């Protein structure tokens, strides 16, 4: 069994994906081909924002967005403690100080009450300027943006939505990647919408930021006249080389159609089978609040604190079932932040999650029989652990 069966997806979409790849190869438009503009237009329309700017990967997307806001030394950026490293790495790499905030035990996302507490502490201390919040849509579920936005507005903070795992999620019908002042996503292969390499995108309604982001993505070139062939040699700021290549855009176009047409619905069906089968056996299961819709990047459970997670993983592996731990270490305890103010954090929920979470195989192409098998073997492993 595959943890996320990308091969099965390819088998289903093979004619469309192969044709898309051949089209790029025969056109030789490997960089900035027409598929890039087509993909950006379709993604922006789907999300419901004015602008989508593709880039090389999700990490670049965060950094470029922060740079467009001129985030830097002396700024505090508030980040959930339970997330992938790049959510905190990027503000630190721009010279800012990530301030880690605890998460909600049931949604795994940034806790708005603890966020406001952390903001008040930073403001009272006076060492840093509270500047921005990066809220992460972990495991496919959008963060509580109605509450988080209210906090950001109260303290005049910029809000970034890190939807690297959340593309396709919704709150009351409004789609992920539309909740932040700037929002980002990743097209890493295992993400809800993934390509066959690295890729990312940045979303915003702000025309000025869109122009700045496009400039930063391509070595800080002048974007004031995009029809001028010499503009790319007029570099008006320091930027980076961060473009989605045409081949990845071509692959994403048929995958995006499948994602919209049936994959989102199917992965929610598969997740529902897990929830149905795992109720009432002492596990903490993912919680989807009323009005929220997840794109299910992962199905993550919490084991009893007395359970031996290593042994359970071993027993699942012996049955041919892969599992993953997202994440085994809080952000504030990462060695990269040792000796900095970022390591000062009060995040007991995150620490408990890091010791108990376990993610199970999940994708839109899993059968009911496969999920029932995982549930049965997990129950056996729990009894023996």
């Amino acid at each position: 069994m595959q943890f996320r069966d990308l091969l099965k997806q390819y088998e289903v979409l093979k004619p469309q994906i192969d044709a898309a790849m051949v089209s790029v190869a025969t056109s030789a438009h490997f960089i900035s081909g027409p598929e890039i503009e087509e993909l950006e237009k379709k993604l922006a329309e789907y999300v419901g924002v004015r602008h989508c700017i593709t880039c090389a990967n999700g990490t670049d997307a965060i950094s470029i967005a922060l740079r467009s806001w001129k985030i830097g030394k002396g700024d505090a950026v508030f980040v959930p403690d339970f997330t992938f490293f790049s959510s905190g790495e990027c503000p630190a790499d721009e010279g800012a100080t990530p301030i880690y905030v605890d998460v909600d035990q049931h949604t795994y996302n940034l806790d708005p009450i603890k966020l406001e507490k952390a903001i008040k502490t930073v403001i009272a201390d006076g060492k840093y300027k509270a500047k921005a919040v990066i809220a992460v849509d972990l495991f496919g579920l959008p963060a509580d943006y109605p509450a988080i936005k209210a906090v950001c507005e109260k303290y005049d903070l910029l809000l970034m939505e890190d939807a690297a795992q959340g593309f396709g999620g919704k709150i009351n019908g409004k789609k992920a990647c539309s909740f932040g002042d700037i929002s980002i996503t990743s097209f890493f292969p295992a993400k809800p919408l993934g390509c066959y390499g690295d890729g990312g995108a940045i979303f915003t309604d702000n025309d000025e930021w869109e122009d700045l982001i496009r400039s930063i993505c391509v070595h800080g070139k002048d974007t004031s006249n995009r029809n001028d062939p010499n503009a790319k040699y007029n570099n008006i700021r320091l930027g980076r080389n961060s473009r989605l290549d045409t081949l990845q855009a071509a692959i994403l176009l048929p995958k995006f159609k499948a994602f919209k047409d049936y994959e989102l619905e199917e992965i929610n069906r598969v997740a529902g089978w897990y929830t149905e089968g795992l109720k009432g056996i002492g596990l903490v299961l993912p919680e989807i609040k009323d009005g929220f819709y997840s794109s299910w990047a992962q199905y993550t459970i919490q084991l009893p604190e007395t359970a031996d997670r290593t042994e359970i993983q071993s027993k699942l592996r012996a049955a041919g079932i892969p599992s993953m731990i997202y994440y085994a270490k809080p952000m504030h305890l990462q060695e990269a932040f040792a000796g900095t103010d970022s390591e000062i954090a009060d995040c007991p929920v995150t620490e408990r999650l890091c010791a108990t979470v376990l993610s199970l195989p999940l994708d839109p192409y899993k059968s009911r029989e496969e999920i029932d098998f995982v549930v049965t073997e997990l129950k056996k492993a729990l009894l023996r652990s």
Side-chain angles (χ1 to χ4, degrees), residues 39-50 52 175 203:
L39 178 67
E40 290 182 345
K41 181 179 178 181
K42 287 183 174 180
L43 291 175
E45 288 175 351
Y46 174 77
V47 167
V49 297
R50 287 173 55 81
C52 170
K175 292 186 175 70
F203 299 84

Side-chain angles (χ1 to χ4, degrees), residues 90-245:
C90 294
D93 196 45
E94 293 298 312
T97 299
I99 303 296
Y100 292 111
V101 181
D102 213 353
V103 298
D104 181 277
Q105 179 184 356
H106 299 283
T107 67
Y108 304 107
N109 285 328
L110 189 65
D111 185 321
I113 294 173
K114 294 175 182 176
L115 171 63
E116 182 166 17
K117 181 180 177 182
I119 293 168
K120 287 180 177 179
T121 299
V122 167
I123 292 173
D125 183 64
K127 185 174 181 179
Y128 302 108
K129 177 177 175 55
K131 195 70 174 286
V133 173
I134 299 178
V136 179
D137 301 344
L138 207 65
F139 303 147
L141 181 67
D144 187 353
Y145 288 104
I148 292 170
K149 277 188 171 182
V151 173
C152 289
E153 289 170 0
K154 182 176 180 179
Y155 295 96
D156 194 25
L157 303 183
L158 293 161
L159 173 60
M160 183 187 301
E161 178 189 5
D162 178 350
Q165 297 180 24
F167 190 81
K170 293 182 282 188
I171 303 176
N172 296 322
K174 185 176 172 66
K175 292 186 175 70
C177 289
S178 70
F179 296 112
D181 297 306
I182 292 178
S183 302
I184 71 94
T185 196
S186 167
F187 301 127
F188 183 80
K191 294 295 192 284
L193 176 62
C195 58
Y196 287 167
D198 276 316
I202 305 167
F203 299 84
T204 187
D205 281 320
N206 187 297
D207 295 345
E208 182 181 345
W209 290 343
E210 183 254 355
D211 188 68
L212 184 54
I213 288 164
R214 289 196 184 277
S215 173
I216 294 169
C217 282
V218 189
H219 302 289
K221 74 174 185 179
D222 183 0
T223 55
S224 60
N225 185 357
R226 296 177 189 177
N227 295 320
D228 180 359
N230 295 315
K232 69 178 182 179
Y233 298 112
N234 182 27
N235 304 90
I236 59 176
R237 59 179 56 87
L238 296 178
R240 59 177 64 198
N241 180 19
S242 186
R243 296 172 294 197
L244 183 70
D245 66 70

Side-chain angles (χ1 to χ4, degrees), residues 27-92:
S27 73
H29 290 159
F30 300 115
I31 302 294
S32 301
E35 291 84 354
I36 297 290
E37 184 176 355
E38 181 184 356
L39 178 67
E40 290 182 345
K41 181 179 178 181
K42 287 183 174 180
L43 291 175
E45 288 175 351
Y46 174 77
V47 167
V49 297
R50 287 173 55 81
H51 305 294
C52 170
I53 308 99
T54 54
C55 60
N57 53 70
T59 301
D60 275 6
I62 299 172
S63 292
I64 291 165
L66 291 169
R67 188 171 297 187
S68 74
W69 284 342
K70 298 179 173 56
I71 299 288
K73 187 175 181 180
D75 294 333
V77 178
F78 300 88
V79 180
D81 199 38
F82 190 64
T83 186
F84 182 64
F85 188 65
S86 62
S87 301
E89 174 188 28
C90 294

